[in-house]
Amino acid sequence: MILSDFIDSFLKYGHVAMFMILVVLLSVIIILLTKHEHLAFQAKQTKEIQLSIQHKQLAETLNVLYEYFLRWQNDVKDWDELLLKVDMHCNAFATRLRKSHPKLSEQDIHFSVLLLLKVPRTLIADSLHIAVSTISKKKHRLAHSIGVETNQLYEYLVNFCLYMHDDTTNHCHPTQSIGVL
């Protein structure tokens, strides 16, 4: 008797029950979507914080390398030594740049390192034995050789330092963390 009453009730009020089930399911979906959006937002914030930390670490490393460059400029002036120091502390920057852009000359690699270190134009000219007036043209040619706009060259070099390009997948991924000297 109870079962038949239940069936009669369901048939009589079934549409109300289905509506209630639908309301509950929609509520669960909304809660799940909200949770997903919140998690996605948290993931984005975490990634931004990690990038900020990486950029801070890179800035510290580049400042230390710039100080090393100044000592190098006054004493040693051995490019192999400077490039080795940069490679050691900037994820093999010069080596990877050479490999990714095989048409770049050694002077282009040297110039890229000096740009990455934010070396002043007069010291760049002195280090590369070129006139200060030719630096803008050299920067434009380098950007063109790499395939970026001149005003995006520094950003490219920084990102190249922080991220490795995988030729097999055509994606970029973070390199190992930048280490301060």
Side-chain angles (χ1 to χ4, degrees):
M1 189 73 161
I2 296 175
L3 184 58
S4 67
D5 289 341
F6 174 76
I7 292 172
D8 287 339
S9 274
F10 183 76
L11 291 174
K12 189 174 181 183
Y13 302 107
H15 62 284
V16 174
M18 292 303 284
F19 177 76
M20 294 303 289
I21 291 171
L22 186 61
V23 167
V24 169
L25 285 175
L26 285 175
S27 298
V28 168
I29 290 171
I30 289 170
I31 289 169
L32 290 175
L33 285 175
T34 304
K35 182 73 171 170
H36 176 74
E37 287 175 4
H38 179 70
L39 290 174
F41 178 74
Q42 280 183 327
K44 183 180 176 187
Q45 278 187 321
T46 301
K47 187 173 182 173
E48 287 174 359
I49 290 169
Q50 287 172 337
L51 280 174
S52 175
I53 290 169
Q54 279 184 321
H55 279 94
K56 263 187 189 171
Q57 288 174 333
L58 178 61
E60 290 172 13
T61 298
L62 294 178
N63 283 336
V64 170
L65 285 170
Y66 177 74
E67 293 299 321
Y68 176 80
F69 164 79
L70 292 176
R71 290 190 306 276
W72 173 87
Q73 176 75 11
N74 291 326
D75 298 331
V76 183
K77 290 194 182 182
D78 177 6
W79 278 103
D80 290 336
E81 183 181 319
L82 180 62
L83 295 178
L84 178 64
K85 196 72 139 175
V86 170
D87 272 0
M88 284 174 45
H89 299 286
C90 289
N91 300 311
F93 174 80
T95 302
R96 289 187 305 109
L97 191 61
R98 236 183 244 113
K99 184 178 177 187
S100 292
H101 303 284
K103 292 184 179 181
L104 295 181
S105 69
E106 266 315 289
Q107 191 179 52
D108 290 334
I109 300 296
H110 299 169
F111 185 56
S112 299
V113 166
L114 297 177
L115 290 175
L116 180 67
L117 298 180
K118 291 187 173 181
V119 174
R121 297 165 60 88
T122 53
L123 292 179
I124 289 175
D126 186 46
S127 299
L128 298 177
H129 308 290
I130 59 176
V132 174
S133 60
T134 63
I135 291 177
S136 292
K137 187 178 276 190
K138 186 160 188 60
K139 191 175 176 183
H140 177 74
R141 280 194 216 126
L142 176 64
H144 179 73
S145 296
I146 289 175
V148 297
E149 295 294 322
T150 305
N151 63 348
Q152 297 172 332
L153 182 59
Y154 182 74
E155 181 181 350
Y156 174 84
L157 295 174
V158 167
N159 286 330
F160 189 86
C161 187
L162 289 173
Y163 297 95
M164 288 183 134
H165 185 267
D166 185 347
D167 294 328
T168 59
T169 62
N170 205 26
H171 293 295
C172 292
H173 55 88
T175 59
Q176 299 169 349
S177 64
I178 300 293
V180 178
L181 299 171

